[in-house]
Amino acid sequence: MSGKNPTRRVLVTGAGGQLGTAIVQAFAASWDTIGLAHRELEIADARAVQRAVARHAPDCIVNCAAYTDVDGAEREPARALEINAFAVLALARAARAGGALLVHFSTDFVFDGLADTPYTEADRPNPRSAYAASKLMGEWFAEEAEPAYVLRVESLFGGPAVLHTARRSSLDRIVDHLAEGKPTRIFHDRTVSPSYAVDVASAVRTLVDRRAAPGLYHCVNTGAATWYDVALYVQGRLGAAAPLERVSTDEVRLPAARPKFSALSNAKIVAAGAVLPTWQDAVDRYLSARSSAARLSGFGVN
Ligand SMILES: NC(=O)c1ccc[n+]([C@@H]2O[C@H](COP(=O)([O-])OP(=O)(O)OC[C@H]3O[C@@H](n4cnc5c(N)ncnc54)[C@H](OP(=O)(O)O)[C@@H]3O)[C@@H](O)[C@H]2O)c1
């Protein structure tokens, strides 16, 4: 054996999504990176999953595919379970059979939001919606792989895909409204830890490259704020004058319940070596990236 590290191969499912594009970008520099978008791999098809894993023989599988329509899952809970839980079981079994590490993503929505200090990995989940229950089951099934990282992320923004497509996160909708001078209605009673997809992807690389202990991690930017405070921050950074209107979650009747308090503690993943700057720092970098992308395509954000 030479002393060189052989090139390692990563297979990314859901590679066309917000986080998937960021993960592909984060690994591409030094891993043999195979990104499969939905049209290239349907993860609910267990045989197709087995074939893809056998064909590409990855050292690591990063599953970014998910049923992410939180309200839609109330109407079609079986589809949410099929993709967010049973497809994860198929991926975990294929990973185990092929000797691959599995990285899977879950959500702050597994908590009921009744806490008043940031949730840690030791806190007990209590999902309040079909989406949240399907994601919690996915966490359990992911553990079938050996080893597996299950990373809870939340309020994602800024995957490279969103710079160039119409797909927009909550943060993007706030930026769009402010930039267009439109009034924006914002929850003042939902506390979140907004997370930059680019930082999440970099944290995944760190865990995998350092072979951190397998298990469950909260993978979010540091800090927390209400959506209203996040919007105020963005308004200040853009120098926008458009008004922000405070609304409460009780005033807006959405099909799926949202946890009111979703701050997650990232202390465990930071102790494992991941760098997760404050959400304000992340928003600043994302606004710069958005502005540069807009200039390149002939549109401005402000
Ligand atoms: N976005 C957030 O704020 C947030 C918060 C908490 C947790 N998460 C979790 O983070 C992960 C990534 O989310 P994201 O924001 O990147 O979501 P996203 O942008 O909606 O990406 C999900 C990707 O999965 C693909 N997909 C859906 N069903 C599939 C299937 N059956 N087989 C293969 N691919 C499929 C979608 O393709 P099509 O669009 O073509 O169907 C899409 O490209 C998910 O596990 C999600 O639950 C996200």
Side-chain angles (χ1 to χ4, degrees):
M1 287 278 289
S2 79
K4 282 187 183 168
N5 276 336
T7 303
R8 290 170 297 164
R9 178 173 294 167
V10 61
L11 177 68
V12 184
T13 58
Q18 180 171 215
L19 187 53
T21 48
I23 292 284
V24 166
Q25 207 168 70
F27 276 84
S30 48
W31 285 62
D32 177 11
T33 304
I34 296 156
L36 299 179
H38 193 175
R39 65 181 177 285
E40 295 159 313
L41 177 64
E42 164 58 64
I43 65 161
D45 178 345
R47 291 212 176 139
V49 166
Q50 272 170 11
R51 279 198 302 272
V53 173
R55 175 168 169 225
H56 296 294
D59 302 288
C60 174
I61 300 170
V62 184
N63 178 34
C64 299
Y67 181 106
T68 54
D69 180 352
V70 175
D71 292 318
E74 297 297 307
R75 287 190 310 275
E76 42 178 11
R79 183 68 181 147
L81 279 171
E82 190 182 15
I83 299 168
N84 292 343
F86 290 98
V88 180
L89 183 60
L91 276 164
R93 286 181 173 159
R96 180 188 273 262
L101 160 71
L102 177 67
V103 180
H104 176 65
F105 297 97
S106 186
T107 170
D108 54 306
F109 278 31
V110 298
F111 295 115
D112 57 23
L114 300 177
D116 53 14
T117 55
Y119 286 103
T120 73
E121 292 80 355
D123 287 314
R124 194 179 169 77
N126 187 21
R128 292 296 180 89
S129 67
Y131 167 79
S134 72
K135 293 295 291 182
L136 180 60
M137 200 180 275
E139 290 186 2
W140 297 335
F141 284 158
E143 303 281 349
E144 283 272 311
E146 183 58 54
Y149 295 123
V150 175
L151 307 183
R152 291 190 184 131
V153 298
E154 75 168 290
S155 304
L156 287 177
F157 61 90
V162 300
L163 294 175
H164 306 291
T165 68
R167 197 188 289 279
R168 286 283 185 246
S169 64
S170 301
L171 190 106
D172 281 290
R173 281 194 293 274
I174 292 170
V175 177
D176 287 344
H177 276 211
L178 286 168
E180 290 161 17
K182 289 185 193 161
T184 314
R185 303 181 80 212
I186 312 274
F187 289 132
H188 66 83
D189 59 350
R190 275 205 70 219
T191 297
V192 293
S193 298
S195 297
Y196 191 13
V198 170
D199 289 346
V200 169
S202 161
V204 171
R205 267 289 308 262
T206 302
L207 285 188
V208 172
D209 286 345
R210 291 188 173 204
R211 298 171 200 265
L216 177 64
Y217 291 87
H218 289 176
C219 185
V220 295
N221 278 107
T222 299
T226 66
W227 272 118
Y228 183 76
D229 286 335
V230 172
L232 274 180
Y233 183 79
V234 173
Q235 188 185 43
R237 299 314 273 177
L238 294 178
L244 298 172
E245 186 190 332
R246 294 159 57 97
V247 290
S248 73
T249 42
D250 294 338
E251 285 172 64
V252 182
R253 287 186 180 276
L254 294 168
R258 268 76 171 160
K260 281 196 176 173
F261 184 87
S262 276
L264 298 184
S265 163
N266 62 14
K268 181 179 172 189
I269 198 166
V270 167
V275 176
L276 285 155
T278 63
W279 65 263
Q280 293 94 329
D281 180 279
V283 167
D284 289 353
R285 283 178 287 124
Y286 176 54
L287 290 178
S288 296
R290 236 184 93 127
S291 198
S292 308
R295 268 198 302 278
L296 286 175
S297 65
F299 294 98
V301 292
N302 56 5

